[in-house]
Structures are given as C-alpha cells and as structure tokens.
Amino acid sequence: MAVVIPVIFIVVIVIATIKKVNCYNAFAEGIKSAVSFTISLIPCLAAVFMMCELFEASGLSQTLINVLSPAFKFLGIPEGLAKLILIKPFSGSGSLAYLTEIIDEYGADSYTARCACVCYGSSETVFYISAVYFASVKNKKLAMPIIISLISAFIATVAACALCRIM
C-alpha cells in the first residue's frame, strides 16, 4: 500500500516525458492557480467560521434545539442528537467534538451513540463545502443547492436513526 503514491508519481513522470510535457512548468502552473484559488477562498471561509461562532454564541443554537427536539423525537431521532444535527452543517470539528460528548454521555453501544455515529458519517458540513465550491465558480446562486443539501442531510439523519432502530 505504501508504494501507491510513488508508483503514481513515476507513472505521471513517464507519461509526461513520453508526451514531451515539461513537468516542472506544469507543476508550477498548477501551484499558481491553486494559490489564487486559495486566496479567493479566504473571504468565504471567514464568513462561514464567523457564522458558526455567532450561531453558538448568540444562543440561537440552544433555542433551535429546544424548539426542534419534539419534532426530532416524533421522527425517531433521539433527543440527544439535536445539537449534533444543527452543528454538523456548519462545523465538522464542532460536530466531531459533540459526537465525542454523546458517546461519553450515553455509552458507545447505546442507541443514541449509534445514531450519532451514523448521522455524523452520513452528512457533510454543507456551509463549508458550499463556501469552497462557490468560491471557484462564477454562478453564485447559493440558496437552492444549500437548501437541497440541508434537506438531503436531514433525510439521511432520519433514515440513519430508523436503520439504527432496526439493527
């Protein structure tokens, strides 16, 4: 397994040599475009990180947890997962920290912890990925893709909890 990367590297060099491509110049051009993309990404990422912090610091997250917990319970989502479900679209590291708290509080083999693990793995940090994706495209129509991503993540959460209940 350790030889995969060196083999890929050698194959690329051999193919580039056969096609008479200057590997160094091609690599430098790739780095140049990556640096400009990274610089264009900074404002989007800063906005996402600021939004995450404001969401938690304002108390909005706790208010939403209190309001949505009964609806989540009705859909078969354990009460302890509400914060994880609300944090996951904003922050991968924050949701991982909360996943650890859930496992510590309920135990690794509990229904709630199993649901939390599957829910964590079945969704993505929607706003972070959106910031990265939309920083590189000209079309900045964000609303519909974000709404679809959030709905699909929620459907995945409901399905994950249903599967954990069966298993």
Side-chain angles (χ1 to χ4, degrees):
M1 199 64 170
V3 297
V4 171
I5 300 294
V7 167
I8 291 173
F9 183 75
I10 291 168
V11 168
V12 168
I13 296 292
V14 168
I15 291 172
T17 304
I18 291 169
K19 292 187 172 189
K20 298 184 187 325
V21 173
N22 185 334
C23 291
Y24 180 77
N25 287 342
F27 180 77
E29 279 299 313
I31 294 296
K32 182 179 173 183
S33 65
V35 168
S36 64
F37 171 71
T38 302
I39 290 171
S40 72
L41 188 63
I42 291 171
C44 298
L45 291 177
V48 168
F49 292 142
M50 204 177 314
M51 188 171 48
C52 291
E53 189 61 34
L54 287 172
F55 183 67
E56 188 69 30
S58 69
L60 181 60
S61 66
Q62 190 58 47
T63 302
L64 280 173
I65 289 167
N66 295 338
V67 169
L68 295 175
S69 285
F72 287 170
K73 188 175 181 179
F74 175 77
L75 293 170
I77 300 171
E79 200 172 307
L81 264 61
K83 188 171 183 179
L84 176 69
I85 293 167
L86 291 176
I87 290 174
K88 182 63 177 178
F90 294 101
S91 170
S93 59
S95 58
L96 180 59
Y98 193 65
L99 174 64
T100 304
E101 286 179 26
I102 291 171
I103 292 170
D104 289 343
E105 181 178 340
Y106 293 96
D109 292 332
S110 69
Y111 170 66
T112 301
R114 285 183 291 137
C115 286
C117 289
V118 176
C119 292
Y120 178 82
S122 67
S123 63
E124 188 53 70
T125 52
V126 172
F127 292 100
Y128 177 80
I129 297 300
S130 297
V132 171
Y133 175 74
F134 285 107
S136 66
V137 297
K138 303 233 185 272
N139 184 354
K140 301 287 184 185
K141 295 179 181 175
L142 296 165
M144 192 53 70
I146 289 175
I147 290 169
I148 291 169
S149 297
L150 291 172
I151 290 170
S152 64
F154 186 71
I155 290 169
T157 298
V158 173
C161 291
L163 287 173
C164 287
R165 193 175 319 114
I166 294 169
M167 300 178 122

